[in-house]
Amino acid sequence: MEADEKRIQTELKIQKAFIKIVKEKSFDKLTISALIKEAKINRGTFYIHYLDKYDLKSHYEDEMILDIKSIFSNYEKPDSLRNQGNDDAFLQLFKYLYRQRSLSVILLTDFGSDFINEVKKLILNLARNNSIKDSRLPQRFASEMLTQDILNFLVYWLMQTPVLKPQKIYEIFLYTRKLTPEQLSYKCF
């Protein structure tokens, strides 16, 4: 039990150091030396857990993907008529990202990464509506517009100061899903 607690504490130190350095500099400028200095651990301790900084980042991405998959498989997709205000998958996603907001922003702003593409696939699978077919809009364009819009919304929300609580942003999110682009544009001015 004590070994598990020590491992968890080390993981937390590494994660806090990772977030701080990547926020201040960038992932490209992150070095293991800076990370272990910030985390106040020795080099050997880092290498017990990870191969390099890419393995560390991959660990965070994989963990977040598994958590999002779990949320999406354990909660229903939002339904404006049935689940209003209930715990559906998007509300749970917002709660999760809020708790992990610093790490979430770092990972969700790594545009073009495999992680972003995987998150888009998860969102698309949850939001899929097979009942509407329209040959005027190719599926790949509709998919990109939907998923990128939701990702942009999430990143914008998480980067605000102060960050709105998950329930409030969820209500805004649901409301915007019902608006046409024209209706939304009226809210911009």
Side-chain angles (χ1 to χ4, degrees):
M1 186 72 144
E2 194 173 304
D4 283 343
E5 182 64 30
K6 187 172 182 176
R7 184 187 55 76
I8 291 168
Q9 290 303 318
T10 300
E11 293 279 344
L12 286 172
K13 288 178 184 179
I14 292 170
Q15 185 179 48
K16 285 179 183 178
F18 174 85
I19 290 168
K20 182 176 185 206
I21 294 168
V22 173
K23 279 173 100 174
E24 290 175 358
K25 297 180 180 182
S26 73
F27 179 74
D28 291 337
K29 293 194 171 34
L30 173 70
T31 64
I32 301 305
S33 295
L35 186 86
I36 63 173
K37 182 178 179 183
E38 182 65 35
K40 296 179 175 66
I41 61 170
N42 66 47
R43 187 173 293 274
T45 300
F46 175 83
Y47 287 116
I48 288 171
H49 296 268
Y50 306 102
L51 299 173
D52 54 25
K53 71 180 190 176
Y54 301 100
D55 185 43
L56 173 63
K57 183 178 174 205
S58 180
H59 168 76
Y60 295 143
E61 292 171 341
D62 293 347
E63 189 174 81
M64 192 168 281
I65 290 294
L66 286 174
D67 290 342
I68 294 171
K69 281 181 180 178
S70 176
I71 289 167
F72 286 1
S73 67
N74 290 316
Y75 293 89
E76 291 184 33
K77 83 181 215 177
D79 180 332
S80 60
L81 300 176
R82 288 184 297 138
N83 286 344
Q84 257 183 350
N86 293 337
D87 279 355
D88 66 37
F90 274 111
L91 178 57
Q92 292 304 315
L93 175 65
F94 292 172
K95 288 177 179 180
Y96 171 76
L97 294 175
Y98 183 80
R99 288 188 307 271
Q100 298 283 335
R101 59 188 169 271
S102 294
L103 184 59
S104 296
V105 167
I106 288 169
L107 299 179
L108 290 172
T109 55
D110 187 9
F111 303 110
S113 70
D114 291 339
F115 172 75
I116 294 287
N117 292 330
E118 187 66 26
V119 171
K120 284 181 176 183
K121 285 180 198 172
L122 293 172
I123 290 171
L124 189 60
N125 285 335
L126 181 69
R128 189 172 309 253
N129 182 351
N130 293 326
S131 64
I132 300 171
K133 302 282 186 202
D134 187 343
S135 62
R136 296 172 294 175
L137 180 60
Q139 185 215 353
R140 69 180 190 276
F141 287 99
S143 297
E144 183 62 20
M145 289 172 69
L146 173 70
T147 56
Q148 193 59 53
D149 178 50
I150 292 171
L151 282 178
N152 288 343
F153 182 87
L154 293 173
V155 170
Y156 180 79
W157 162 54
L158 293 169
M159 293 180 80
Q160 297 302 298
T161 304
V163 177
L164 293 174
K165 297 290 185 193
Q167 183 65 44
K168 180 64 178 169
I169 200 66
Y170 172 75
E171 291 165 8
I172 293 169
F173 174 76
L174 284 184
Y175 177 69
T176 63
R177 300 294 98 189
K178 298 173 189 173
L179 298 176
T180 66
E182 185 178 351
Q183 291 170 322
L184 190 58
S185 71
Y186 290 133
K187 302 286 184 187
C188 296
F189 305 101

